[in-house]
């Protein structure tokens, strides 16, 4: 019931389900803001010491010196799981239907509000005087909240399947499940202050989570396990996709429901239609509700599937458990499984906000850009990084097909045409067609940042630019350091590049400015390669301060 917003923060911020395909390796874009990022594997250090050998084996690769063996980018996927098939009123039939049904819109709106009011009053009474939020709500309080609705199949007893997962298509499912199961859900803390809704979700003994807080996500996992293990709590409901789709696709699953390793009952929701698609895709909530209220009838089907049990094989992890559950749901829905995720919706919305002609082309199947560890939460800061990379890419003036040419690329990175900049662009242009896509740009940036010695190289590059060790870099010092890579820079070009590093505009580049710039523009680490070739990067850990990013 708490899920009245497109961001759907009630879903657990766990890692995203990786695609079952094995022909592409995931790229990690998890960027931590604290801790020491060092290389402790002796084999990795030995390999990275052989700079000259790697260069000969990787000609034209400007990132070989920090451990890159080349870039691989999955092919494009034209599927759009968030596309509503009927975003506009089209055809005489639909116009006539709206005119005929318009007089009953107010009646339906009143009935809809009445349902919310009943839920609100019941939960308000149930919550009166209840202070103990850590223990299950007393039975007499729970019975004040009633429900009735048709369905296919039956919910399994809570003792058998303490966790329920469902696909997510519209704003209707949370309301349905509120009256049907009265479950415990995972919701954003911000939902607590929403009128009516906040009261209802408190009565559902909500598990609050901050999507962008690692500690909050870990606490949510613990709470899911604790409440699922106690029969006195309601069953736990999660929408593992993390957002709504159009029902034709089942996107990657987050793992919060699967880490506790309890039996799970999948539920699938369908909205059969001919003229009007009820999915909450690329349409506003107000428009969706108006269209629903002006239909003769809105069809909805809910089917409870057989319980999926965790494998007796102790080696099965949450990822595999999620894959089996996802496959069962996709088969029952006759839906296509993709590696899209919540991050793709953010990219789609950002591209739409910036008025891009083909906004859906900027989705990249973010599950493939996620964490490969089933017990490490999906780095939502990585999603924000991806959105920032999209803004940078769009500033490169892509053509209508979403491709960027060399000169526009170099202009944004403040580089000039030279052999090194050609190598950087060629490294991203894996198809060798003279232009790059956002997907290639994002994968290349993520690839560079996850290389074993990237952060060490950033630290040592700053040290090389600051030979006096005073903690700041002047424009002249930056020029001296990068001239071996780009010899014929003129004064204007040096000044432009310096201002890119000098984010606060104080005329000097601090360590924080320097690291921040390379974090936003990781591809620029290549311009320091000639200087760093004379440095043993594997020993960087001995020279770096403790607060390295």
């Amino acid at each position: 019931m708490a899920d009245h917003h497109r961001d759907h923060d009630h879903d657990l911020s766990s890692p995203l389900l990786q695609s079952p395909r094995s022909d592409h390796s995931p790229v990690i874009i998890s960027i931590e803001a604290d801790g020491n990022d060092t290389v402790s594997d002796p084999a990795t250090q030995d390999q990275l010491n052989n700079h000259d050998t790697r260069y000969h084996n990787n000609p034209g690769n400007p990132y070989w010196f920090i451990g890159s063996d080349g870039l691989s980018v999955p092919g494009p996927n034209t599927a759009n799981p968030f596309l509503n098939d009927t975003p506009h009123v089209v055809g005489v039939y639909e116009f006539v239907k709206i005119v005929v049904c318009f007089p009953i819109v107010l009646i339906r709106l009143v009935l809809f509000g009445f349902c919310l009011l009943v839920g609100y009053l019941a939960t308000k009474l149930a919550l009166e005087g209840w202070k103990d939020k850590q223990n299950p709500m007393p039975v007499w309080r729970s019975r004040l909240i009633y429900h009735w609705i048709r369905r296919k199949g039956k919910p399994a007893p809570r003792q058998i399947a303490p966790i329920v997962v469902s696909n997510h298509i519209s704003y209707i499912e949370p309301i349905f499940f509120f009256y049907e199961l009265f479950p415990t859900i995972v919701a954003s803390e911000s939902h607590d202050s929403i009128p009516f809704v906040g009261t209802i979700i408190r009565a559902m003994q909500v598990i609050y989570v901050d999507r962008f807080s690692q500690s909050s996500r870990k606490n949510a996992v613990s709470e899911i396990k604790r409440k699922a293990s106690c029969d006195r709590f309601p069953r736990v409901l999660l929408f593992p996709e993390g957002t709504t789709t159009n029902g034709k696709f089942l996107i990657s699953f987050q793992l919060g429901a699967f880490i506790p390793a309890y039996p799970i009952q999948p539920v699938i929701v369908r909205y059969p239609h001919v003229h009007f698609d009820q999915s909450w895709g690329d349409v506003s909530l107000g428009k969706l509700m108006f269209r629903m209220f002006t239909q003769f009838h809105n069809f909805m089907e809910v089917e409870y599937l057989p319980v999926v049990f965790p494998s007796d094989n102790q080696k099965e992890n949450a990822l595999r458990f999620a894959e089996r559950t996802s496959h069962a749901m996709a088969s029952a829905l006759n839906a296509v499984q993709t590696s899209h995720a919540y991050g793709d919706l953010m990219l789609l919305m950002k591209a739409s906000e910036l008025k891009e002609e083909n906004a859906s082309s900027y989705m990249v199947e973010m599950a493939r850009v996620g964490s490969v560890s089933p017990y490490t939460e999906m780095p939502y800061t990585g999603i924000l990084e991806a959105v920032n990379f999209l803004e940078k890419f769009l500033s490169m003036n892509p053509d209508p097909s979403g491709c960027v040419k060399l000169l526009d690329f170099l202009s944004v990175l403040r580089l000039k045409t030279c052999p090194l900049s050609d190598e950087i662009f060629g490294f991203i242009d894996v198809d060798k067609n003279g232009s790059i896509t956002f997907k290639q740009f994002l994968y290349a940036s993520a690839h560079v940042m996850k290389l074993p010695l990237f952060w060490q190289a950033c630290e040592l590059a700053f040290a090389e630019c600051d030979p006096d060790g005073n903690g700041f870099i002047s424009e002249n010092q930056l020029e001296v350091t990068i001239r071996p890579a780009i010899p014929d820079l003129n004064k204007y070009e040096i000044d432009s590049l310096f201002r890119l590093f000098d984010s606060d505009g104080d005329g000097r580049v601090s360590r924080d400015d320097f690291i921040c710039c390379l974090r936003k523009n990781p591809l620029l680490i290549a311009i320091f390669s000639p200087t760093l070739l004379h440095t043993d990067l594997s020993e960087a850990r001995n020279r770096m301060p403790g607060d390295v990013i």
Side-chain angles (χ1 to χ4, degrees):
M1 185 62 186
D3 192 356
H4 276 57
H5 296 279
R6 284 292 307 278
D7 59 1
H8 305 289
D9 286 329
H10 67 275
D11 297 307
L12 180 68
S13 301
S14 301
L16 302 178
L17 177 67
Q18 303 301 314
S19 169
R21 295 174 56 187
S22 59
D23 57 337
H24 295 296
S25 299
V27 180
I28 300 174
I29 193 172
S30 177
I31 306 167
E32 301 298 334
D34 53 14
N36 292 337
D37 199 4
T38 59
V39 176
S40 57
D41 182 4
T44 301
Q45 291 185 0
D46 292 341
Q47 179 190 18
L48 295 173
N49 283 337
N50 298 323
H51 296 305
D52 294 335
T53 301
R54 178 175 293 100
Y55 179 73
H56 290 302
N57 292 334
N58 295 273
N61 180 350
Y63 303 102
W64 63 270
F65 72 104
I66 51 175
S68 172
D69 290 321
L71 177 66
S72 175
V73 180
N77 185 344
T78 58
N80 183 354
F82 313 109
L83 178 65
N84 184 291
D85 285 339
T86 59
H88 308 291
V89 179
V90 178
V92 175
Y93 176 74
E94 279 298 299
F95 279 104
V96 171
K97 184 166 51 179
I98 289 176
V99 172
V100 172
C101 293
F102 190 80
I104 64 174
V105 169
L106 183 60
I107 298 174
R108 287 176 168 173
L109 184 61
V110 169
L111 290 175
F112 179 77
F114 178 75
C115 291
L116 287 180
L117 181 62
V118 168
Y120 171 76
L121 293 177
T123 51
K124 187 71 173 178
L125 182 58
L127 287 171
E128 187 65 32
W130 182 49
K131 303 296 184 183
D132 187 5
K133 302 298 190 295
Q134 294 300 313
N135 292 311
M137 181 181 288
V139 175
W140 72 267
R141 293 181 181 273
S142 298
R143 287 178 178 171
L144 287 172
I145 306 164
Y146 64 89
H147 52 85
W148 175 87
I149 200 165
R150 291 180 180 181
R151 64 194 183 278
K152 292 184 178 181
K154 295 182 179 180
R158 192 233 182 268
Q159 293 78 5
I160 295 178
I163 298 177
V164 174
V165 298
S166 172
N167 64 316
H168 204 356
I169 298 175
S170 188
Y171 67 93
I172 300 299
E173 296 99 72
I175 301 174
F176 165 81
F177 285 118
F178 168 68
Y179 284 101
E180 173 75 356
L181 301 176
F182 192 65
T184 291
I185 63 173
V186 181
S188 168
E189 294 179 0
S190 61
H191 289 178
D192 186 74
S193 60
I194 300 175
F196 294 101
V197 174
T199 300
I200 293 174
I201 66 174
R202 283 196 296 275
M204 297 171 76
Q205 302 174 76
V206 64
I207 299 170
Y208 289 115
V209 64
D210 178 356
R211 186 191 291 269
F212 295 96
S213 168
Q214 183 177 3
S215 61
S216 178
R217 297 194 303 269
K218 288 183 177 179
N219 180 68
V221 172
S222 299
E223 280 296 288
I224 290 172
K225 185 172 184 178
R226 184 177 76 88
K227 292 188 174 181
S229 65
C230 179
D231 288 341
R232 293 186 298 151
F233 280 108
R235 69 192 78 207
V236 181
L237 167 70
L238 296 101
F239 298 101
E241 292 174 287
T243 186
T244 55
T245 68
N246 58 16
K248 298 178 181 179
F249 301 91
L250 200 66
I251 65 175
S252 56
F253 278 9
Q254 300 172 1
L255 300 188
F258 308 95
I259 291 175
Y262 288 111
I264 288 176
Q265 182 169 33
V267 184
I268 57 173
V269 179
R270 306 181 188 91
Y271 294 90
H273 69 277
V274 175
H275 300 284
F276 169 57
D277 180 5
Q278 298 180 56
S279 65
W280 192 359
D282 49 355
V283 295
S284 67
L285 177 59
K287 185 175 183 179
L288 180 64
M289 293 181 67
F290 176 78
R291 293 290 303 281
M292 289 184 68
F293 289 167
T294 54
Q295 301 297 309
F296 294 129
H297 186 72
N298 293 292
F299 295 92
M300 178 180 179
E301 296 178 359
V302 179
E303 182 178 353
Y304 291 90
L305 301 181
V307 175
V308 180
F309 293 88
S311 174
D312 292 335
N313 184 354
Q314 295 300 314
K315 292 183 179 180
E316 181 184 54
N317 57 27
L319 179 61
R320 176 57 185 156
F321 190 15
E323 286 177 340
R324 291 197 293 116
T325 306
S326 176
H327 180 72
M329 294 175 66
S331 298
L333 281 166
N334 194 27
V336 177
Q337 292 179 272
T338 76
S339 295
H340 291 89
Y342 172 73
D344 289 289
L345 178 61
M346 290 190 67
L347 293 172
L348 175 64
M349 293 175 68
K350 173 57 69 173
S352 299
E353 176 188 326
L354 297 176
K355 310 299 183 183
E356 286 302 309
E357 183 176 343
N358 187 13
S360 62
S361 67
Y362 294 101
M363 294 189 295
V364 297
E365 293 188 276
M366 278 292 292
R368 291 183 176 178
V369 195
S371 172
V372 297
S373 170
Y375 292 101
T376 303
E377 287 86 5
M378 170 62 190
Y380 277 92
T381 51
I383 292 178
L384 296 179
E385 296 278 350
V387 173
N388 291 334
F389 282 128
L390 175 59
E391 291 184 283
K392 183 171 291 291
F393 183 83
L394 294 179
S395 70
M396 297 175 185
N397 191 33
D399 61 26
S401 66
C403 294
V404 165
K405 299 293 186 181
L406 173 63
L407 293 181
D408 292 318
F409 169 80
L410 296 181
S411 175
V412 171
L413 290 188
R414 314 289 176 87
L415 298 176
K416 66 179 300 178
T417 302
C418 67
L420 177 61
S421 60
D422 288 342
E423 283 189 1
I424 295 173
F425 189 81
F427 179 81
I428 307 171
D429 180 17
V430 293
D431 297 329
K432 306 306 177 188
N433 58 13
S435 63
I436 60 173
T437 65
F438 170 65
K439 188 171 188 176
Q440 292 169 342
F441 177 68
L442 176 64
Y443 267 72
S445 300
H447 169 80
V448 170
M449 281 194 290
K450 80 175 185 70
L451 290 173
L453 294 179
F454 173 72
W455 295 109
Q456 288 91 329
C458 291
E459 289 288 340
L460 288 177
F462 180 79
E464 292 295 325
C465 293
D466 179 30
D468 300 331
N470 60 11
F472 294 97
I473 301 173
S474 67
E475 183 171 326
N476 181 65
Q477 289 173 322
L478 180 65
E479 176 183 359
V480 169
T481 306
I482 65 176
R483 273 208 178 277
I486 311 176
D488 55 347
L489 284 170
N490 60 40
K491 182 63 177 177
Y492 170 79
E493 292 161 343
I494 286 290
D495 181 66
S496 178
L497 191 57
F498 180 80
R499 283 187 281 108
L500 182 65
F501 280 90
D502 183 19
S503 58
D504 56 10
D506 63 354
R508 58 182 186 175
V509 177
S510 67
R511 173 185 171 276
D512 289 344
D513 291 338
F514 191 84
I515 298 297
C516 180
C517 178
L518 289 176
R519 181 172 186 151
K520 294 178 179 178
N521 306 277
L523 300 173
L524 286 179
I525 190 64
I527 67 177
F528 299 100
S529 57
T531 300
L532 296 179
L533 287 178
H534 305 292
T535 306
D536 186 358
L537 293 178
S538 66
E539 295 181 357
R541 56 181 299 181
N542 299 322
R543 298 175 52 184
M544 291 188 297
D547 59 344
V548 61
I549 292 181

